[in-house]
Amino acid sequence: MNKRFTFASLFVMFLTTLLPTSAIANETLIPKGAVCVVDDGFRIVLVEELITGKLSLPGGLIDEGETPQEAAEREVWEEAGLVVTAQEILHQDEKATIYRCRSDSDIIVFDLETRNGFYRIPSWFAPHYGVETGAVYLTEPYKIKSDKYRYPEQLEQLKHWFAKPLESDNKITWVNNLVDQASDIHQVELQLLTSLRVSIDSLPAVINISIKMFFTVINETGTEIFFYFLFIVALVYFGRESALTLLFGIVLTVVFTGLAKQGLGLPRPFVYVPQLQLTQANGFGLPSMNAMLATVVYGVFYLSLKRKQISSVALRRFGLFFIGLIIAQSIAHIWLGIHFLSDAIVGIALGAMVIVHFSSLQRKHGDLLYRVMASLPFWVIIALVTSGIAFTMQYMNYLYMASLCWGVVLAILLSKEQPSLNIKVCFITLFVLLIMVVSARFGTGLLLDSLEVSSVTVLTVKSVANLSLILMLLTISAWLPRGITHKKKDN
């Protein structure tokens, strides 16, 4: 989809979709969009949309001054990285014109079949890779599940068109890997990663399975739900000032690494060797957001513990534990094939720079630093900055971070922190907030499943969900201890 339109329409709330409704082309119609069917006679090229998570044909809206053919050709290049020529019209209605397109060169395809029966097409050089497009595939239409395809009615047309093999000018070149396309340092790292995999696989079964389970579990500590858990722990046991400092570190990391990745455009290991991928990941790899995020989050936790003036022995043990966890997470991401060693090293270094600088400010200004980071003017500025970046760069993660920031602004306006030193009250608050997070994420998923899928719908629902969740966490963490305390006094 055209990313400029997608984000602009989110802000002005214009909803536009590409839903073909007729099987007969009508030349008198003026379609809003253009779509390409790129095939080899019985398999078609599909893009996996990053925002919706659905599969669709490459295509999008027609820009002003473009012909439908030009729009179709441009969208295929932007989303799939293929240079094509739009030929005959397969279908046309008021929403879109669907062309059958011929690739100007051979289509490079990895010969590794995914669990869904798809074959991955290298596409990291496509302009919208990692922003709109998560992956590009080649597959037969009958292998596509209707709940995974964005336009179910269109899927039936595709199955009908390719019920029998067709003649096609498109040629497929099958490859096992594209290591020779990687930079020199990445080629060395790919060899090391492959050797590591072989070494682990050669170990006795019990040890082999144990290592794989360990890496898989450690990888879960880098997920969104886990960072919500850490935020809640900081909110309940360290207070709102420390929790908002932690949240600022998360926002800073997500925005900074996102900008760096888009600017550098360096792919992940599995882009060159798809056999290396053992878990879900998308976009570019350098710097590792996971590594920087872990370093910043655990660094803030360490400084918060230091602020509590716990014993030096306990503080040292926590520090060693956090360092070990950061290293273990980075190794897990490397082993799972989603990061190079250099990605992790750069991510950890950037995170360490943030923590060292923050620690210096903490020594100089003390509690004043935390009060500033929990103040209304500070979060209004952060919300405005992230909103500007989201609208300018048009990337979903920036939009989600902006919604979190506006949720904090509303929470500061609506509630004031009520500290509680009662262990029981803290535990009850922690439990309630965790239930809220799980319920909110589950409810958001159910809501999206019940709605007609579009980029605008997904962005709107998730943004509102993020804003509402952070608002509820901050306000309820302030009101609940007060309510429990008053109830005890009344009794």
Side-chain angles (χ1 to χ4, degrees):
M1 297 297 106
N2 183 295
K3 69 174 183 178
R4 182 178 301 133
F5 181 86
T6 297
F7 277 80
S9 53
L10 177 63
F11 281 88
V12 300
M13 301 306 292
F14 290 141
L15 301 178
T16 304
T17 57
L18 302 172
L19 295 176
T21 59
S22 171
I24 302 175
N26 186 344
E27 296 294 342
T28 63
L29 295 174
I30 303 177
K32 298 178 181 178
V35 180
C36 258
V37 175
V38 185
D39 66 276
D40 67 347
F42 65 101
R43 290 171 296 214
I44 59 175
V45 173
L46 296 174
V47 297
E48 183 180 56
E49 299 177 355
L50 200 54
I51 296 174
T52 66
K54 300 288 187 177
L55 298 168
S56 67
L57 294 171
L61 294 169
I62 302 171
D63 287 343
E64 185 176 353
E66 270 189 326
T67 65
Q69 293 92 333
E70 291 171 341
E73 293 166 1
R74 172 182 54 78
E75 288 288 344
V76 176
W77 163 244
E78 290 178 347
E79 295 183 354
L82 298 174
V83 178
V84 301
T85 301
Q87 297 181 320
E88 70 267 24
I89 295 176
L90 296 174
H91 171 84
Q92 187 178 51
D93 60 25
E94 70 279 1
K95 296 294 184 181
T97 301
I98 302 179
Y99 292 92
R100 194 178 185 201
C101 298
R102 174 180 56 80
S103 177
D104 291 358
S105 60
D106 287 5
I107 301 174
I108 308 298
V109 183
F110 288 115
D111 61 5
L112 178 68
E113 189 174 14
T114 67
R115 287 179 297 178
N116 297 324
F118 299 173
Y119 295 92
R120 190 156 186 162
I121 298 175
S123 56
W124 75 85
F125 41 81
H128 291 176
Y129 177 79
V131 178
E132 288 185 48
T133 303
V136 181
Y137 297 104
L138 181 73
T139 190
E140 296 96 326
Y142 76 86
K143 292 183 178 180
I144 306 168
K145 296 180 179 180
S146 58
D147 62 330
K148 298 297 183 181
Y149 195 79
R150 183 169 173 182
Y151 311 108
E153 300 87 352
Q154 189 183 87
L155 179 57
E156 295 305 314
Q157 289 181 321
L158 290 172
K159 291 179 179 179
H160 174 71
W161 291 335
F162 292 94
K164 295 181 179 180
L166 306 175
E167 291 185 4
S168 175
D169 295 330
N170 292 324
K171 303 298 181 183
I172 306 297
T173 297
W174 299 94
V175 296
N176 181 258
N177 63 71
L178 290 175
V179 174
D180 58 337
Q181 299 297 312
S183 64
D184 291 341
I185 187 171
H186 280 172
Q187 289 187 31
V188 173
E189 292 183 68
L190 286 169
Q191 291 176 357
L192 292 174
L193 178 54
T194 303
S195 299
L196 174 64
R197 288 280 186 85
V198 172
S199 299
I200 293 176
D201 290 340
S202 65
L203 295 172
V206 175
I207 299 177
N208 185 1
I209 294 173
S210 299
I211 292 175
K212 292 179 179 179
M213 289 182 62
F214 173 76
F215 284 146
T216 302
V217 171
I218 286 294
N219 182 59
E220 292 302 311
T221 62
T223 59
E224 178 185 10
I225 193 72
F226 187 76
F227 284 115
Y228 265 115
F229 168 74
L230 293 178
F231 173 76
I232 291 172
V233 171
L235 185 61
V236 173
Y237 291 101
F238 296 141
R240 177 180 285 189
E241 291 179 354
S242 293
L244 290 182
T245 300
L246 177 66
L247 184 61
F248 171 69
I250 293 174
V251 172
L252 174 67
T253 299
V254 171
V255 173
F256 178 80
T257 56
L259 292 171
K261 287 180 179 182
Q262 288 179 271
L264 296 172
L266 295 175
R268 299 175 184 270
F270 64 77
V271 168
Y272 302 112
V273 185
Q275 295 90 335
L276 294 176
Q277 185 176 12
L278 297 180
T279 190
Q280 181 63 32
N282 53 64
F284 299 107
L286 183 71
S288 168
M289 183 183 74
N290 302 88
M292 182 176 178
L293 202 54
T295 306
V296 170
V297 168
Y298 297 132
V300 171
F301 257 84
Y302 177 82
L303 293 176
S304 297
L305 289 168
K306 190 176 181 180
R307 187 184 177 206
K308 289 287 186 179
Q309 298 180 345
I310 66 173
S311 68
S312 58
V313 174
L315 188 63
R316 189 180 305 110
R317 288 175 179 174
F318 273 112
L320 292 174
F321 173 74
F322 290 149
I323 291 173
L325 196 54
I326 292 169
I327 294 173
Q329 282 185 1
S330 299
I331 294 174
H333 296 145
I334 294 168
W335 182 80
L336 291 167
I338 60 176
H339 281 304
F340 285 105
L341 175 62
S342 55
D343 300 343
I345 290 175
V346 173
I348 292 174
L350 291 172
M353 289 171 61
V354 172
I355 293 303
V356 168
H357 183 63
F358 185 81
S359 177
S360 175
L361 290 175
Q362 181 175 312
R363 286 196 301 270
K364 184 176 181 180
H365 301 288
D367 289 346
L368 176 62
L369 177 63
Y370 287 88
R371 289 198 296 272
V372 169
M373 288 197 170
S375 66
L376 179 63
F378 177 82
W379 280 99
V380 169
I381 293 172
I382 298 301
L384 289 172
V385 171
T386 52
S387 298
I389 294 174
F391 189 77
T392 303
M393 302 303 296
Q394 302 168 2
Y395 181 41
M396 62 180 186
N397 283 349
Y398 305 151
L399 182 63
Y400 299 154
M401 291 301 103
S403 65
L404 285 176
C405 293
W406 286 114
V408 173
V409 170
L410 291 176
I412 294 174
L413 286 172
L414 295 175
S415 64
K416 185 177 181 180
E417 183 181 17
Q418 181 71 23
S420 175
L421 300 178
N422 188 300
I423 299 296
K424 185 177 179 181
V425 173
C426 288
F427 179 78
I428 294 173
T429 304
L430 178 67
F431 180 76
V432 170
L433 296 183
L434 288 175
I435 294 297
M436 283 178 52
V437 170
V438 174
S439 301
R441 307 316 286 180
F442 182 72
T444 301
L446 289 180
L447 178 60
L448 288 173
D449 289 340
S450 66
L451 297 174
E452 183 177 340
V453 177
S454 72
S455 298
V456 173
T457 301
V458 174
L459 289 170
T460 302
V461 169
K462 288 189 175 182
S463 297
V464 172
N466 282 339
L467 185 150
S468 303
L469 182 56
I470 203 71
L471 172 61
M472 289 190 294
L473 290 177
L474 289 169
T475 52
I476 291 178
S477 68
W479 295 339
L480 187 60
R482 187 183 309 152
I484 296 174
T485 304
H486 287 169
K487 186 176 181 180
K488 286 184 176 181
K489 288 181 179 179
D490 294 338
N491 292 337

